[in-house]
Amino acid sequence: MKKFQPISELYPHMLHGGDYNPDQWLHMPEIIEEDMRLMKLAHVNTMSLGIFSWTQLEPEEGVYNFSYLDMMIEKIGKNGGKVLLATPTGSKPLWMARKYPEIRMVDQRGYREMTGRRHNHCYNSPIYREKTYEINRRLAQRYGNNDTVIGWHLSNEYANCRTVCYCQTCQAKFREYVKAKYKTLDNLNQSWCTAFWSHTVTDWDLIEAPSDMGEDSVHGLTLDWKRFVSDSYVDYMKSEIAAIREFSDKPVTANLMRNFTRIDYWEMAKHIDVASWDSYPYWHRDDAGIEHADVCFNNDFFRSIKGGKPFLLMESTPSMPNWHDINKLKRPGVNRLGGLQSVSQGSDSVQYFQWRMARGNVEKFHGAVVNHEGSENSRVFREVASLGETLEKLDAIVGCPVESDAAVFYSAENQWALADAQGFNRHNKKHLETIVRHYKQFLDRGINTDIVGYESDFSKYKVVIAPMLYSVSDELIDKIEQYVANGGTFITTYISGMVDKNDLCYLGGFPAGKLKDVFGLWNEEIDSLYPNDSNKVEFGGKEYKAIDYCELLHARGAKVLGSYKEDFYAGMPAVLENSYGKGKAYYIAFRDTGDFLTDFYEGIVAESGLKSSFNGTLAEGVVARSRTDGEFDYVFLLNYRNEERTVNTSAVYTDMETGETRTGEIKLCPFGSIVMKIKK
Ligand code: GLA
Ligand code: ZN
């Protein structure tokens, strides 16, 4: 695989820095001077500037004042730094919110937001869009060709608010959206199955957004509403980009969020140049590793939505967040561990929220590089500076792709449909958790993994896993069939292949259509178990516990690898393997407690030839991931345990930090990490 261009031609280095809000300190110029000194000491090089600066830039309607940004961009530039310049639209000025009430969101009960807070504007409001366009255009005109500015940070965490907007503008737009999609009422009614409860739509004007005060039982409607909301955000973002593009062709990014489903990021990614995300794990909360696996899953997701292009870790806390219920400090070494983890999976940055701790308000106790004491004499500052020195040695990795032979399917579309489904374990389906548990099987073995969605090309992977693939389009069914027929290995689980893109059940038996041939089975019933229930499955001569879901399948050509031991379906198949064309399809009919997946994937990895680019034996709790420039592999070893770990390798490697060439035993200190350069 070829290297990608650096995110900015102007600055082909690992970015290290974070959100900088000097507008909170303009009355104390000595603080800003001190920031410049400290930034050098912290080995940071890139600041996200202006994220919530709208009132500073437009204190009165139509009156613009860019002096603060002029000053800050110049200062940072002179100090050797670079800027990701934000559009300020994440938070609206109070004067604007008061003067134009229609820009404030309305919730599903019809209440309009008050003037404050952030992110709570109506993204379909023509006035908000007009105001956005004007401020963005002016920013682009003024700074679009400034050498200190390396790219654009669009707004902030789109859709990170209490509600989405249900105002009359949005409702009217939704009706237009539905009309354009279905063309005729007959088509709409068939697609939404509205004969149910006499909800037939007899006039387009009768369509209302779903609401817990109104219609929440028509799944085609709720699904289309979620699509509409997501599309509205994407459309709003596109209008932000259009304003910038009047004067600047520098890359644009939007900071996305972990496991966030209000926006279909696969769609959003089509319009940004670079993906970036904000990572705030619950460090040290769980030792089983699901938390770090989930973070790794997200790193892979944000790389994959841009076709494997390096992404940016846009925010992380250098110490603790403040909005978790319990805000535990990152232990020594963990800032480096988390930062390098992202880099190992394709990030070309480690950025923080934020540079300097706020003096007041809700974020005053959120971790930052510089704390309220204000000097470089803190543990956190030293850890940041030390990671900065490390990142300065990783220029060779900038732009390097991740080579993966395995992929895991994840899409908000599937999540949306599954969330609506009444049945199964209704409120606790654990879709994402299930995906991450399967994904972790590769992570624990040091196997690079991509994430794929409905539109992705599967053909380059040896193995594709799609747990709980509830909603399948006709195109996806064809793609899976072709993939397996051409030699791929495809694995799915319970609650798969059940509904189409309108959330209507497939007739003729599950899984849908020809998936029954691909998997060689028919799924007759799904048993959902109470929390204290369990069954047993025999597989490979061992017995495993089955919890939550047991499907009652009939093999139709598939080889039965495992069967239930108890209850009225004892003897029925629980794990099936089907040879189809040149490939194989596996179906796991039950949820296990962990051991089964470990043993099952041991077999899959051996059979399909999946390999880690770490040539050696990993220790428990140590993650290995890699990037490559085609000539060298850059292999990262990351110890997630608060204990020393020893691993062994037969590879001859160069330690990217010390420059030493070594082989054999590698000792990793508690939470320790190493970056190795290995000839391919
Ligand atoms: C989000 C926001 C930031 C800040 C951090 C705090 O990620 O983008 O502005 O509020 O959370 O963790
Ligand atoms: Zn609205």
Side-chain angles (χ1 to χ4, degrees):
M1 262 178 113
K2 274 201 14 224
K3 248 174 126 158
F4 290 87
Q5 291 296 320
I7 284 162
S8 168
E9 304 282 352
L10 284 172
Y11 201 69
H13 305 287
M14 285 288 163
L15 309 187
H16 188 220
D19 285 23
Y20 184 33
N21 297 304
D23 35 343
Q24 294 174 21
W25 301 97
L26 290 176
H27 60 297
M28 296 175 80
E30 67 284 5
I31 292 273
I32 293 173
E33 288 313 314
E34 178 66 351
D35 281 338
M36 297 302 122
R37 184 185 76 86
L38 291 171
M39 281 177 191
K40 290 215 132 130
L41 293 179
H43 293 265
V44 298
N45 54 37
T46 303
M47 291 290 142
S48 301
L49 200 62
I51 298 178
F52 299 114
S53 289
W54 203 338
T55 310
Q56 197 63 240
L57 305 176
E58 192 181 353
E60 286 174 50
E61 186 163 23
V63 176
Y64 297 92
N65 179 354
F66 293 98
S67 56
Y68 129 81
L69 271 189
D70 289 353
M71 172 183 85
M72 288 316 310
I73 292 173
E74 195 187 332
K75 263 192 205 303
I76 293 170
K78 280 206 175 121
N79 207 40
K82 296 288 173 196
V83 165
L84 286 164
L85 188 57
T87 66
T89 58
S91 175
K92 54 201 173 343
L94 292 180
W95 62 256
M96 194 188 290
R98 174 61 61 81
K99 178 162 183 196
Y100 301 106
E102 65 270 44
I103 68 172
R104 295 187 239 140
M105 271 185 177
V106 172
D107 71 12
Q108 53 176 291
R109 287 164 185 246
Y111 290 109
R112 196 177 284 286
E113 296 261 323
M114 309 287 275
T115 54
R117 282 195 167 230
R118 61 176 181 178
H119 303 149
N120 53 353
H121 50 268
C122 170
Y123 32 86
N124 283 317
S125 153
I127 292 180
Y128 202 69
R129 288 199 179 201
E130 196 184 301
K131 297 285 177 207
T132 296
Y133 199 91
E134 197 50 32
I135 189 75
N136 287 7
R137 197 182 70 82
R138 283 170 188 261
L139 282 170
Q141 185 172 28
R142 198 167 183 98
Y143 305 112
N145 296 310
N146 185 311
D147 280 352
T148 298
V149 175
I150 57 172
W152 295 96
H153 177 298
L154 296 169
S155 200
N156 192 59
E157 295 189 335
Y158 288 115
N160 183 13
C161 41
R162 207 166 55 86
T163 178
V164 297
C165 191
Y166 292 80
C167 77
Q168 288 309 318
T169 305
C170 288
Q171 300 265 3
K173 269 201 113 173
F174 178 54
R175 279 191 282 274
E176 281 167 34
Y177 170 93
V178 169
K179 203 169 172 179
K181 179 167 179 179
Y182 295 104
K183 312 267 184 316
T184 68
L185 283 171
D186 200 34
N187 189 18
L188 170 88
N189 283 312
Q190 290 305 326
S191 305
W192 285 3
C193 196
T194 52
F196 176 79
W197 290 355
S198 199
H199 288 180
T200 304
V201 180
T202 49
D203 189 316
W204 295 105
D205 275 347
L206 293 172
I207 295 168
E208 287 176 358
S211 158
D212 58 15
M213 293 294 285
E215 184 62 275
D216 62 357
S217 43
V218 175
H219 286 172
L221 166 71
T222 50
L223 200 49
D224 275 332
W225 171 254
K226 288 176 195 173
R227 289 179 182 129
F228 165 75
V229 169
S230 176
D231 285 2
S232 298
Y233 272 107
V234 173
D235 193 56
Y236 173 74
M237 184 189 76
K238 279 164 69 183
S239 73
E240 287 220 56
I241 298 171
I244 288 170
R245 288 287 174 254
E246 279 203 24
F247 297 100
S248 171
D249 56 8
K250 289 191 179 156
V252 299
T253 187
N255 53 336
L256 311 177
M257 287 172 284
R258 176 183 176 188
N259 300 340
F260 191 74
T261 53
R262 244 182 215 164
I263 299 176
D264 181 352
Y265 285 151
W266 286 105
E267 277 305 310
M268 189 164 250
K270 291 176 183 165
H271 308 282
I272 48 181
D273 298 306
V274 183
S276 64
W277 77 288
D278 301 344
S279 176
Y280 293 101
Y282 291 77
W283 289 108
H284 312 298
R285 186 175 64 172
D286 105 278
D287 278 340
I290 274 296
E291 183 68 9
H292 87 244
D294 189 274
V295 173
C296 293
F297 171 79
N298 276 273
N299 279 323
D300 282 332
F301 177 63
F302 291 115
R303 183 189 70 252
S304 299
I305 56 174
K306 281 306 295 177
K309 188 174 170 182
F311 61 95
L312 296 175
L313 175 62
M314 187 58 88
E315 289 182 27
S316 58
T317 172
S319 49
M320 72 289 174
N322 69 330
W323 49 268
H324 290 180
D325 286 343
I326 295 172
N327 295 285
K328 197 171 170 99
L329 294 178
K330 278 176 162 175
R331 272 29 204 169
V334 172
N335 187 55
R336 172 188 158 98
L337 183 73
L340 291 183
Q341 177 73 65
S342 294
V343 173
S344 77
Q345 295 182 257
S347 177
D348 278 355
S349 76
V350 178
Q351 302 284 103
Y352 308 107
F353 182 87
Q354 61 177 328
W355 165 254
R356 179 181 282 276
M357 261 183 189
R359 185 129 191 237
N361 309 337
V362 291
E363 291 185 332
K364 61 179 175 292
F365 297 122
H366 193 288
V369 181
V370 181
N371 64 25
H372 292 130
E373 186 267 345
S375 78
E376 65 271 40
N377 300 315
S378 70
R379 176 185 73 88
V380 169
F381 190 98
R382 283 190 295 274
E383 290 205 32
V384 166
S386 155
L387 177 57
E389 285 184 82
T390 299
L391 293 172
E392 283 163 6
K393 295 178 181 152
L394 304 186
D395 274 357
I397 301 176
V398 172
C400 285
V402 169
E403 270 178 355
S404 312
D405 288 331
V408 176
F409 186 96
Y410 172 73
S411 170
E413 276 267 333
N414 186 48
Q415 177 98 345
W416 290 340
L418 193 51
D420 277 345
Q422 294 201 29
F424 319 119
N425 184 331
R426 197 175 145 199
H427 299 297
N428 203 11
K429 299 187 187 95
K430 297 188 187 163
H431 171 225
L432 194 62
E433 186 184 317
T434 303
I435 290 182
V436 172
R437 284 187 184 278
H438 282 249
Y439 164 89
K440 189 172 180 294
Q441 290 298 329
F442 292 156
L443 186 72
D444 289 349
R445 292 177 171 87
I447 294 167
N448 291 347
T449 306
D450 287 349
I451 310 302
V452 289
Y454 287 96
E455 294 178 21
S456 308
D457 175 13
F458 293 178
S459 66
K460 58 182 174 192
Y461 302 107
K462 289 181 175 156
V463 178
V464 175
I465 315 175
M468 300 178 81
L469 183 58
Y470 173 66
S471 168
V472 288
S473 58
D474 291 340
E475 296 77 30
L476 184 63
I477 294 172
D478 285 347
K479 192 182 326 208
I480 295 169
E481 194 263 337
Q482 283 301 307
Y483 171 70
V484 180
N486 290 328
T489 297
F490 193 89
I491 300 162
T492 196
T493 68
Y494 45 88
I495 315 190
S496 287
M498 303 189 79
V499 297
D500 66 13
K501 291 296 247 182
N502 290 315
D503 212 354
L504 298 178
C505 290
Y506 280 100
L507 302 179
F510 303 135
K514 60 186 161 201
L515 290 182
K516 281 185 285 298
D517 301 328
V518 176
F519 290 99
L521 56 87
W522 170 45
N523 173 10
E524 187 182 349
E525 289 182 274
I526 303 180
D527 194 15
S528 300
L529 308 191
Y530 288 111
N532 293 330
D533 290 347
S534 64
N535 200 319
K536 291 197 185 94
V537 167
E538 191 176 310
F539 168 83
K542 270 170 82 176
E543 220 170 67
Y544 301 88
K545 193 169 172 183
I547 55 167
D548 296 347
Y549 301 118
C550 295
E551 286 185 336
L552 280 56
L553 305 181
H554 302 277
R556 281 185 176 171
K559 190 162 131 196
V560 177
L561 304 181
S563 309
Y564 295 109
K565 299 272 288 176
E566 293 178 353
D567 218 326
F568 74 94
Y569 42 91
M572 286 184 85
V575 189
L576 298 100
E577 171 193 310
N578 194 41
S579 294
Y580 183 88
K582 294 187 203 141
K584 277 191 179 166
Y586 290 86
Y587 197 104
I588 302 168
F590 70 105
R591 182 173 283 159
D592 83 312
T593 51
D595 317 356
F596 167 76
L597 287 189
T598 305
D599 292 345
F600 173 79
Y601 279 104
E602 195 63 32
I604 295 291
V605 166
E607 182 186 272
S608 59
L610 288 176
K611 285 206 169 47
S612 169
S613 39
F614 175 65
N615 191 353
T617 347
L618 285 171
E620 189 275 333
V622 177
V623 171
R625 288 292 303 251
S626 67
R627 295 171 69 172
T628 184
D629 58 13
E631 190 185 350
F632 294 98
D633 280 333
Y634 300 95
V635 180
F636 294 64
L637 292 182
L638 305 130
N639 176 14
Y640 279 87
R641 292 287 175 267
N642 195 5
E643 292 159 18
E644 191 177 273
R645 285 283 186 266
T646 304
V647 298
N648 274 286
T649 183
S650 53
V652 177
Y653 67 90
T654 306
D655 182 320
M656 293 282 284
E657 284 171 277
T658 63
E660 285 171 294
T661 302
R662 320 184 55 156
T663 187
E665 193 177 88
I666 303 169
K667 277 207 185 323
L668 295 164
C669 64
F671 300 125
S673 43
I674 178 176
V675 189
M676 309 186 292
K677 178 175 175 179
I678 304 171
K679 183 94 183 126
K680 242 182 160 0

